[in-house]
Amino acid sequence: MTRVSSSLPERIELVGEGLVLRDWTEGDLGAMPGLFDHPDIAYWTPIVSPFDEVAARVRLERDRRMRAEGTTILLAITLDGGAPLGEVMLRLAPEGMEIGYAVGPAHRGQGLAVRAVRVVAGYAFEQLGAERVVLEVEAENGASVAVAVKAGFGLLDVPLIRGEEKGRAYALQTWGLDRP
């Protein structure tokens, strides 16, 4: 992976694929529980559960800290820069820049995750000089496997990433997309 030579921008707004990906704001704190306090998100992601406004505040502060450290970008997925419908993440990882996502239950089935992943991958390639972006997905998570395939990622021939979180074991497959 090519390391980013400068720090990440303090503010980011990415537009494409019918989406506006923007920084989370204080005004989003009330909407975040409706997006993230759901059994699917609790099961498949490291997002804390239950997820309430206190958890939202902690997540916003963590987001800002990780951005300042130059390691991670968390952006709200929106259609027009307004109400958040989910989140997309870009994290610098040894095996490539890693993308993650979560879409609120009321907003699924619209291709939001696929489109957000493609926009963020483009940003990683064009602005950050990434040679590869990756998704780390549990094979049993059919929705996330479908996102990987629809976004053009291929399953990499690398060992599974095994671990335990929230009291359950997981094994993540690594899906990759190389610079066009």
Side-chain angles (χ1 to χ4, degrees):
M1 174 184 90
T2 304
R3 202 67 171 138
V4 176
S5 59
S6 63
S7 64
L8 297 171
E10 187 176 321
R11 297 213 165 277
I12 298 175
E13 182 175 280
L14 306 177
V15 179
E17 302 258 350
L19 301 176
V20 177
L21 308 178
R22 63 161 176 80
D23 292 314
W24 288 102
T25 68
E26 305 284 327
D28 296 322
L29 293 173
M32 291 171 82
L35 299 173
F36 301 135
D37 191 35
H38 189 270
D40 287 346
I41 291 179
Y43 187 82
W44 295 116
T45 77
I47 295 174
V48 300
S49 179
F51 194 97
D52 56 15
E53 286 197 44
V54 172
R57 166 78 50 202
V58 169
R59 187 160 182 84
L60 181 62
E61 290 169 3
R62 182 174 167 253
D63 165 30
R64 291 176 175 166
R65 186 174 58 254
M66 291 185 306
R67 172 91 58 94
E69 293 167 354
T71 62
T72 306
I73 299 167
L74 295 172
L75 299 172
I77 300 171
T78 76
L79 296 177
D80 56 5
L85 310 174
E87 174 177 86
V88 64
M89 172 202 75
L90 180 64
R91 181 179 68 86
L92 282 61
E95 61 279 357
M97 292 188 190
E98 178 191 356
I99 298 174
Y101 45 85
V103 173
H107 310 292
R108 294 180 185 158
Q110 302 173 46
L112 297 172
V114 172
R115 293 186 284 155
V117 165
R118 287 194 295 236
V119 170
V120 169
Y123 176 78
F125 294 136
E126 297 162 18
Q127 301 298 316
L128 301 178
E131 294 299 320
R132 170 177 281 168
V133 291
V134 299
L135 301 172
E136 295 174 348
V137 176
E138 290 185 64
E140 297 80 19
N141 186 343
S144 281
V145 169
V147 168
V149 171
K150 289 177 184 175
F153 285 66
L155 187 58
L156 301 179
D157 187 18
V158 298
L160 293 173
I161 300 165
R162 296 184 185 276
E164 185 175 316
E165 192 162 41
K166 298 181 186 175
R168 76 172 190 91
Y170 63 81
L172 303 173
Q173 298 175 324
T174 303
W175 294 74
L177 179 66
D178 292 331
R179 174 189 286 278

